[in-house]
Amino acid sequence: MKKFVLTSLTAAMIIASTGCGKKVSGNEKPSQKETTSASAAEDTIEADSDEELATVRERDIVSSDILDYEIYNGGVIITKYKGKESAVEIPAEIEGTPVREIGFFAFEANEKLTSVALPESVQTIGEGAFIDCTSLTEINLPAGLTVIERGAFAGCTSITEMTIPEGVQSIHNGAFAGCTALTAMTVLSRELKYENWGLEELPNLVIYAPEDSAAAEWAGAMGKYTIY
């Protein structure tokens, strides 16, 4: 299978960001997912009723034929993958800036996607980033990863194994909901708490975790635990 390496397109994306690509102004109306995702909310404001309302920060998205991205707080957020290849390797840097996040719904419902290689620089996998990628069978979670947002892998019905790195601090609701082929999950962290990831509904899943770890406790309560 041909692997499409996004690193080779970094130069093209730099050109896109300086004139050839379409730069999406923050003044354009964002999609419904952009306005509702927690990744897009930056501050809160006080309404007349004293109710706190989320506000959406202005975004400066660079668009190319392959993907859209933005540079924010010293890191690159991949906001949309638009390529046609089934095997994708995300570059560690774009425009000399480290890729820190796979943004919300970036690969949503990409039924051709079979494998993704993430660089060690990625720290966050956003809400619904790979939701309903039904052909996805392989993805590495890098050692630098700290957060997996809600629904990140929901509906990925072809993934069979997953290793959660030791540095992951939180995984949010429904992150693995509907991953019906998932039979083995290794949790390397000793302190990672369970927050309704959607594992209860996966009858064939076995969770491997360190003895006397938090994962051993909650996985044991589900009847899915074994020592790795």
Side-chain angles (χ1 to χ4, degrees), residues 5 14 20 42 49 53-54 87 99 106 116 126 128 161 167 170 180 196 217 220:
V5 183
I14 294 173
C20 294
E42 184 180 37
S49 63
L53 300 176
V99 175
V116 177
E161 299 180 358
S170 61
T180 52
N196 190 27
E217 182 176 350

Side-chain angles (χ1 to χ4, degrees), residues 29-79:
K29 184 178 180 181
S31 67
Q32 182 178 2
K33 287 171 183 173
E34 287 177 332
T35 58
T36 57
S37 171
S39 299
E42 184 180 37
D43 298 309
T44 58
I45 58 174
E46 291 290 336
D48 291 339
S49 63
D50 293 329
E51 180 183 0
E52 289 189 347
L53 300 176
T55 60
V56 179
R57 64 175 172 83
E58 184 172 301
R59 309 190 73 188
D60 191 14
I61 297 175
V62 178
S63 181
S64 76
D65 291 338
I66 305 303
L67 55 77
D68 296 346
Y69 65 93
E70 67 171 330
I71 297 177
Y72 179 69
N73 275 354
V76 172
I77 302 172
I78 304 297
T79 60

Side-chain angles (χ1 to χ4, degrees), residues 86-90 107 113-118 130 136 138-140:
S86 59
V88 176
E89 183 174 342
I90 303 295
F107 287 82
L113 190 68
T114 60
S115 67
V116 177
L118 299 177
F130 296 96
L136 182 63
E138 297 180 29
I139 184 168
N140 67 299

Side-chain angles (χ1 to χ4, degrees), residues 82-104:
K82 300 184 292 187
K84 304 298 183 183
E85 300 296 331
S86 59
V88 176
E89 183 174 342
I90 303 295
E93 293 184 351
I94 295 177
E95 297 188 45
T97 304
V99 175
R100 296 297 190 198
E101 179 176 344
I102 307 301
F104 54 90

Side-chain angles (χ1 to χ4, degrees), residues 123-168:
Q123 299 173 344
T124 301
I125 297 177
E127 178 180 347
F130 296 96
I131 191 170
D132 291 334
C133 291
T134 55
S135 299
L136 182 63
T137 58
E138 297 180 29
I139 184 168
N140 67 299
L141 300 186
L145 188 67
T146 59
V147 177
I148 300 175
E149 297 286 3
R150 63 181 182 176
F153 296 98
C156 291
T157 54
S158 297
I159 292 179
T160 59
E161 299 180 358
M162 184 73 70
T163 296
I164 309 300
E166 186 174 2
V168 172

